[in-house]
Amino acid sequence: MIQSDVSVGISPRQSFDSWAKFVAELEVEGARRVWVIDSQLAMKDLYAGLIVAALNTTRIGLGTGVTNAVTRHPTITANAIAAIDEISHGRAILGLGAGDSALYGIGLKPQKVAEVAEAIAFFRANVAPSVPIYLAVSQERMCDLAGRVADGAIVMGPAQPDMVRKQVEWIRAGGRDVEIAFIAPTSTDIEDVRSWASTQARLMSHHKQLPESLAAFRDEIVRSAEAYNYAEHLSPHAEHSAAVSDELVRALTVVGSPDECAARLRELREAGVDTFIFPLAGRGRAERWRKLRDEILSR
């Protein structure tokens, strides 16, 4: 079975007691790591969630999935991730990005590549070497940075082998032995991944050139970005999800029968992916993880 992580946010409607039980269940059910979303407008606090997770698990890796160096000053993040690493007995992972919903939602723009590089240098000097640093990447310059200075790259997609091969090439050119973890929204039910597809479409709208596999969707991708509401970031009930057609959802995510999903994941792995991170949203997330594991990943 391929190595599998989970990406989750803590809904404002979910209690931390419920969150504790959920993360403990993920550990029992075989998830290797859990990456907790940092989006202050849409989710409960990242570090409160990681502390609760650390106290209710013993094995699963605990990552920021991902944070940024603007809404949280690097000194604050260094202090917080050190605490998570101590409480979890060495299971913390610092996932960092240029900033997305956390910044756009308050009228700011993501950091420049040079600013992210400066933040990583600070973390290298002020966070225990045992805490690996993973960088969220999509476009060439950020992929290059991850390949030069990070321990891992969180590739944001889309789930198209032609794009992933290019991203992997950019990362590998940096020369470090970087783990490539790919965000892979996967389901046999298209509605489970529509919200993620709308987010992915918005991210792709920033690309000057789309991969050949997505070129026909350019106008729809732009319209989706214009409709996006950051207060509903990754919510399965987000109204902006309606802006993406079924055809675009299938192009951006891994959706279909169990055999079709398994085949698409194999294609992505052959493109250079080391680990898959599976986003889980909405209700029944533990059951959705079990179904994914038993019906798709076991093939």
Side-chain angles (χ1 to χ4, degrees):
M1 186 183 293
I2 55 180
Q3 297 202 88
S4 303
D5 298 353
V6 169
S7 168
V8 290
I10 309 172
S11 166
R13 295 177 295 278
Q14 182 176 22
S15 71
F16 280 116
D17 284 342
S18 170
W19 165 252
K21 294 173 184 175
F22 169 63
V23 178
E25 191 170 5
L26 282 179
E27 180 173 75
V28 170
E29 297 290 351
R32 185 171 67 123
R33 298 179 297 207
V34 58
W35 299 88
V36 185
I37 297 169
D38 187 15
S39 187
Q40 75 279 1
L41 292 173
M43 312 285 179
K44 279 190 171 179
D45 182 68
L46 161 74
Y47 287 107
L50 286 173
I51 289 171
V52 170
L55 293 173
N56 286 274
T57 59
T58 60
R59 174 192 56 78
I60 198 169
L62 304 172
T64 58
V66 294
T67 191
N68 69 83
V70 178
T71 56
R72 299 183 190 271
H73 191 275
T75 58
I76 301 298
T77 294
N79 196 28
I81 202 68
I84 300 300
D85 198 51
E86 178 181 343
I87 293 168
S88 68
H89 304 288
R91 292 183 281 138
I93 312 151
L94 178 57
L96 182 69
D100 183 54
S101 62
L103 295 185
Y104 281 123
I106 56 174
L108 300 178
K109 292 184 178 180
Q111 288 190 299
K112 296 182 181 345
V113 173
E115 293 171 328
V116 176
E118 184 179 350
I120 292 175
F122 176 86
F123 292 131
R124 288 289 187 210
N126 293 279
V127 176
S130 60
V131 178
I133 298 174
Y134 280 58
L135 183 60
V137 303
S138 180
Q139 300 193 55
E140 182 172 3
R141 293 186 63 210
M142 199 66 79
C143 288
D144 173 73
L145 179 62
R148 289 187 289 108
V149 304
D151 300 301
I154 301 173
V155 179
M156 303 303 294
Q160 287 292 340
D162 60 345
M163 183 67 179
V164 174
R165 277 191 293 271
K166 187 177 295 186
Q167 291 168 319
V168 170
E169 180 181 330
W170 292 334
I171 295 165
R172 294 298 183 208
R176 285 175 62 89
D177 184 17
V178 173
E179 180 187 10
I180 295 177
F182 182 80
I183 299 278
T186 302
S187 181
T188 57
D189 182 350
I190 196 169
E191 296 307 320
D192 285 346
V193 294
R194 189 178 297 278
S195 177
W196 179 266
S198 66
T199 296
Q200 182 59 250
R202 175 178 57 76
L203 294 173
M204 293 306 299
S205 73
H206 301 307
H207 288 245
K208 292 181 180 179
Q209 183 174 356
L210 293 175
E212 183 179 348
S213 56
L214 294 176
F217 295 101
R218 174 170 291 281
D219 290 345
E220 185 179 349
I221 285 171
V222 171
R223 289 195 300 271
S224 178
E226 291 172 346
Y228 203 85
N229 180 354
Y230 292 95
E232 296 183 320
H233 180 59
L234 295 179
S235 168
H237 308 295
E239 291 186 9
H240 56 243
S241 297
V244 290
S245 65
D246 288 359
E247 291 75 16
L248 183 53
V249 174
R250 292 189 180 95
L252 295 172
T253 67
V254 180
V255 65
S257 69
D259 283 338
E260 289 171 332
C261 290
R264 184 80 163 274
L265 291 173
R266 282 194 294 270
E267 286 185 284
L268 293 169
R269 190 171 189 188
E270 289 167 3
V273 171
D274 298 315
T275 299
F276 288 108
I277 301 175
F278 296 103
L280 300 175
R283 296 180 179 178
R285 292 178 296 179
E287 180 57 34
R288 195 171 299 138
W289 163 248
R290 284 191 291 270
K291 183 176 180 180
L292 176 66
R293 180 198 61 192
D294 296 342
E295 296 185 6
I296 297 173
L297 302 184
S298 60
R299 290 175 183 266

